[in-house]
Amino acid sequence: MELHEGRLFWPGTVEGARPFKKKEPGGRVYGAAVIGGGMSGAITAAVLSGEGLDVALIDAGQIGAGSTSANTGLLQYSNDIMLHELAEEIGWDNAIRFYRGCTEAMDGLGRLAEKMDADSSYISRASLYYATDEGDREKVRREYEALRKYGFRADYWDSAEIGRRFPFQKPCAIVTHGDAEVNPLAYCRGAARLAESRGADVFEETKVSGLVRDDGLIEVSTGRGPILAERVVMATGYGRTFLADHSVKDLNRTFAIATEPVVDLGSWTDRMMIWETKRPYLYARTTVDNRIIIGGLDQETASLPHDRARTEEKGDRLRSALCGLFPSLHVEVSHAWAAVFGESDDNLPVIGRHPEEENVYYLLGLGGNGTVYSMMGAEVIAGLMKGKKSLLSEIVDPAGRARFWRM
């Protein structure tokens, strides 16, 4: 399926990057074959290769060319569903454990960035999460109290404090610490290249047509020939997922813009990442070359508009929203795009073992925190492959959350 359209920003930042080594299938049995070369697959390949596994990373196109290229690169431990709201659904113990898993994943993303041989523009940032209107004030206050009670790094700003720090005022806000911004395409390709340096084979332009058991191994059938592996990880994002249906996914579309470089960002305190309580919400960040990226205006459809004028109209609306927050900034749109994204029914990623098929795993980082879920999932799956089932893995386990069939 088509995952994005319009003029993307990130591909232009990695032009001329060293290509991956050309490989042909066959002649090697891998410890793990990772299907999907987006953020989830690349991070999984890096983590598993770091555990000493021989890894094949397989993608139907080029590494990072799918949803990753349309990602806006905001990395946060907070989720689209607040901690206290998640607790109402899965209980406090599980909700706290999941949020702590997200903070650990943030730490893991930072460590992985340090090991890459290329700059992914991974920069630690704080995030400002503001109440869009007075009706959300109590909800924000309750969330702040929950975060602080359970040891998460967060501050509470009232309207006056926000006004002292920014050229806009909102009823209140939570400032979370330990978040980060990133060039998602550079990070994804950097993770894949790190895996390659550890002995992994990267197969681009290699479309997978199915999985077959073969004398105790799993044959990954591709148009270029079979790839044999002891284990398979499905990191297929919003595309086809073998041996499981798509009922767990709710696919939507979103819009984003990048501006031309801005001369003076002095009014943007600490270059915090910004988002809001309203649903669908706006989210914004800066870049290393003084651009601003802002996204939102989500719509409940998986089809892309196929209309340049409509995408540009959404871009104009995002620009207007940005100018509403920072009226003194003169901004011009340089890139505007639309993209598909997915959410799960229960607001959690799908990570774990196929309930019946031995040595088949899933990492579907559904939701606004897909990159954080990718790191979380890679670590969970690495543990499961070593026979370690954590309490976190029980929360995100696919069993009972989707329908499966056998090979």
Side-chain angles (χ1 to χ4, degrees):
M1 65 180 297
E2 293 181 282
L3 296 173
H4 51 68
E5 67 177 22
R7 190 180 180 204
L8 300 173
F9 172 63
W10 301 115
T13 67
V14 297
E15 290 176 351
R18 177 171 60 84
F20 295 96
K21 299 173 184 176
K22 296 290 185 181
K23 294 290 182 179
E24 293 298 326
R28 185 177 181 186
V29 175
Y30 297 92
V34 180
I35 301 175
M39 192 69 84
S40 294
I43 291 175
T44 300
V47 170
L48 294 183
S49 61
E51 296 286 337
L53 282 178
D54 291 331
V55 175
L57 177 60
I58 309 165
D59 194 84
Q62 295 183 329
I63 298 299
S67 299
T68 298
S69 288
N71 189 320
T72 49
L74 289 79
L75 309 180
Q76 298 161 315
Y77 76 75
S78 293
N79 287 254
D80 287 357
I81 181 169
M82 294 184 184
L83 172 61
H84 75 270
E85 295 172 331
L86 184 61
E88 293 174 0
E89 294 189 6
I90 64 175
W92 277 105
D93 287 348
N94 283 338
I96 294 164
R97 188 174 296 119
F98 181 74
Y99 257 63
R100 285 177 178 160
C102 290
T103 63
E104 292 167 1
M106 283 298 311
D107 292 341
L109 288 167
R111 290 192 298 269
L112 191 63
E114 293 174 353
K115 297 175 183 176
M116 297 178 188
D117 64 0
D119 180 16
S120 64
S121 299
Y122 185 98
I123 302 172
S124 295
R125 298 284 188 210
S127 295
L128 181 80
Y129 183 48
Y130 66 76
T132 308
D133 53 43
E134 286 291 337
D136 288 336
R137 180 192 293 273
E138 179 58 31
K139 181 167 65 174
V140 169
R141 182 73 195 187
R142 183 180 177 190
E143 179 68 0
Y144 164 72
E145 290 172 352
L147 291 173
R148 292 290 297 191
K149 179 178 180 179
Y150 294 106
F152 297 98
R153 296 174 61 198
D155 298 320
Y156 180 85
W157 287 3
D158 60 16
S159 179
E161 185 66 19
I162 296 171
R164 281 193 290 271
R165 305 292 189 109
F166 286 96
F168 57 84
Q169 281 191 308
K170 299 295 177 180
C172 61
I174 298 171
V175 176
T176 55
H177 303 278
D179 298 333
E181 67 182 44
V182 73
N183 178 328
L185 182 55
Y187 191 99
C188 175
R189 294 180 66 83
R193 204 174 304 285
L194 176 61
E196 186 180 56
S197 73
R198 293 168 168 173
D201 287 341
V202 179
F203 296 94
E204 295 185 299
E205 308 295 341
T206 305
K207 186 175 182 179
V208 174
S209 58
L211 306 178
V212 181
R213 292 285 177 190
D214 182 2
D215 194 24
L217 300 174
I218 300 174
E219 177 186 298
V220 181
S221 303
T222 82
R224 298 175 57 200
I227 296 173
L228 290 175
E230 296 173 2
R231 310 168 187 84
V232 168
V233 180
M234 304 287 188
T236 49
Y238 311 138
R240 182 185 178 193
T241 304
F242 295 100
L243 305 182
D245 74 4
H246 286 204
S247 64
V248 73
K249 300 179 183 178
D250 182 15
L251 297 180
N252 306 287
R253 73 183 180 199
T254 190
F255 297 87
I257 61 169
T259 72
E260 296 287 357
V262 178
V263 174
D264 183 9
L265 284 172
S267 61
W268 197 306
T269 297
D270 297 333
R271 297 194 177 220
M272 289 182 178
M273 298 182 294
I274 299 172
W275 59 312
E276 63 176 337
T277 56
K278 183 179 71 174
R279 296 296 186 267
Y281 57 85
L282 295 173
Y283 44 98
R285 54 160 290 192
T286 62
T287 68
V288 292
D289 61 346
N290 272 25
R291 297 175 190 265
I292 298 168
I293 294 176
I294 180 170
L297 306 180
D298 302 350
Q299 298 176 326
E300 294 182 353
T301 175
S303 65
L304 294 170
H306 298 300
D307 184 340
R308 179 177 176 181
R310 181 178 295 182
T311 300
E312 290 180 349
E313 183 271 330
K314 296 292 186 181
D316 287 340
R317 286 180 58 187
L318 289 170
R319 178 184 176 278
S320 295
L322 176 62
C323 291
L325 293 173
F326 296 91
S328 66
L329 294 183
H330 176 71
V331 294
E332 296 294 336
V333 177
S334 63
H335 300 73
W337 65 95
V340 173
F341 73 98
E343 300 173 303
S344 64
D345 295 337
D346 58 6
N347 295 291
L348 298 173
V350 178
I351 302 166
R353 184 185 289 113
H354 188 293
E356 297 182 11
E357 285 291 349
E358 186 179 6
N359 294 326
V360 176
Y361 302 82
Y362 293 88
L363 199 175
L364 305 179
L366 304 168
N369 263 22
T371 301
V372 177
Y373 296 160
S374 296
M375 175 56 71
M376 175 193 293
E379 295 288 358
V380 166
I381 288 172
L384 291 173
M385 287 183 177
K386 293 186 289 188
K388 299 178 181 178
K389 187 173 182 179
S390 67
L391 293 174
L392 181 60
S393 67
E394 295 176 0
I395 298 171
V396 295
D397 194 334
R401 301 171 61 212
R403 291 179 295 172
F404 295 87
W405 55 92
R406 297 183 66 85
M407 287 192 287

